[in-house]
Amino acid sequence: MITEHRISVGGVGTSYCENGTGGPIVFLHGVGFGADGKSSFVRQLNGLSDQFRAIAVDQLHFGGTDYPADGKYINRVGRVDHVIGFIEAMGLKKITLVGNSEGSFVAARVAIVRPDLVSKLVLLTANSVSPAFGDERDEAWARACRQAYDYSAPMPSEDEYLAAWRKATRAYGQDVEDAKREAYRRAAERGQ
C-alpha cells in the first residue's frame, strides 16, 4: 500500500510516497501543473513494491513539498541539491534513480555529481537532459520552456484537466485518475 510521508531536507518540508521493501528505487517526476511523485509514478509504486522499496519524491515547488522560505523558484539545477539532500536524509545509498522528463535532467545530474549515491540510472523522456551551464544559458532555456508551455490561459477545471490528460495518454486507470485528481486539487489549492 502506498504511504505518504514528509521529511525535512535542508529545512524544507519534503513530501514523498513509498511502497514495498527491498532495494530502493527513487523516482523523480517532470514539471508542469499538478506534477508530483505519486500521480507520475502510481503504477510503478504499486507494480514494483513486491521486490523493491519504490519511493517517489515531490521535488521543490511541486506536490506537497514546501516552497523555499524566500518563495523564489528553484530551477532544475537547483533542484539537484534538494534531491541529493533527500537521498541523504533518507539514509539511502546505491539507489536506482529514475527520472522522467525534467526529472531526467535532475537524475542525470545527481548521478554525475554524487555517483556514490546512485548504482543505476533510468531516464524516461529524457529530452530535457541538456548541459547545465550555470550561467545565462540556463535562464534562456527556462524562458524557452515558459514560452512553449504558456500557462497564461485560465486554469482548466478539474474535469477539463483530466479530459486533456486522458486524451494525451494511454496510461488510463482509476488508480492513475485518483492520483491525478489529488495532484490537481493540491496544485490548485497552492496556486502552483
Side-chain angles (χ1 to χ4, degrees), residues 16-43:
Y16 68 97
C17 296
E18 70 177 306
N19 195 6
T21 59
I25 302 175
V26 175
F27 295 93
L28 303 177
H29 59 79
V31 301
F33 176 80
D36 70 9
K38 184 178 180 183
S39 68
S40 297
F41 295 106
V42 66
R43 294 264 169 96

Side-chain angles (χ1 to χ4, degrees), residues 18-189:
E18 70 177 306
N19 195 6
T21 59
I25 302 175
V26 175
F27 295 93
L28 303 177
H29 59 79
V31 301
F33 176 80
D36 70 9
K38 184 178 180 183
S39 68
S40 297
F41 295 106
V42 66
R43 294 264 169 96
Q44 291 78 10
L45 288 165
N46 284 323
L48 297 171
S49 65
D50 59 338
Q51 296 181 36
F52 300 96
R53 181 180 179 197
I55 304 165
V57 62
D58 292 348
Q59 295 186 69
L60 286 171
H61 300 283
F62 297 97
T65 292
D66 294 343
Y67 289 8
D70 63 7
K72 287 186 177 179
Y73 180 75
I74 305 296
N75 68 19
R76 62 193 178 133
V77 177
R79 288 194 303 271
V80 170
D81 291 334
H82 179 253
V83 171
I84 289 170
F86 173 79
I87 295 166
E88 291 175 336
M90 294 288 290
L92 303 173
K93 297 182 188 318
K94 295 298 179 185
I95 64 170
T96 297
L97 187 58
V98 178
N100 179 49
S101 191
E102 198 165 297
S104 289
F105 173 90
V106 176
R109 189 80 181 144
V110 168
I112 290 167
V113 299
R114 288 297 304 273
D116 58 306
L117 297 176
V118 180
S119 67
K120 294 178 184 81
L121 179 64
V122 179
L123 305 178
L124 310 168
T125 59
N127 57 335
S128 68
V129 179
S130 61
F133 300 109
D135 59 24
E136 70 280 348
R137 291 174 288 182
D138 286 322
E139 182 52 35
W141 181 88
R143 276 193 311 275
C145 285
R146 283 191 295 272
Q147 184 177 353
Y149 301 108
D150 178 12
Y151 292 113
S152 62
M155 190 171 103
S157 70
E158 184 174 327
D159 289 335
E160 291 167 335
Y161 172 76
L162 287 168
W165 163 72
R166 279 189 211 104
K167 184 177 179 181
T169 187
R170 288 180 278 174
Y172 180 78
Q174 195 62 50
D175 57 342
V176 182
E177 181 173 327
D178 290 346
K180 290 287 184 191
R181 284 187 185 282
E182 287 177 37
Y184 175 93
R185 291 172 186 160
R186 182 176 16 237
E189 180 179 301

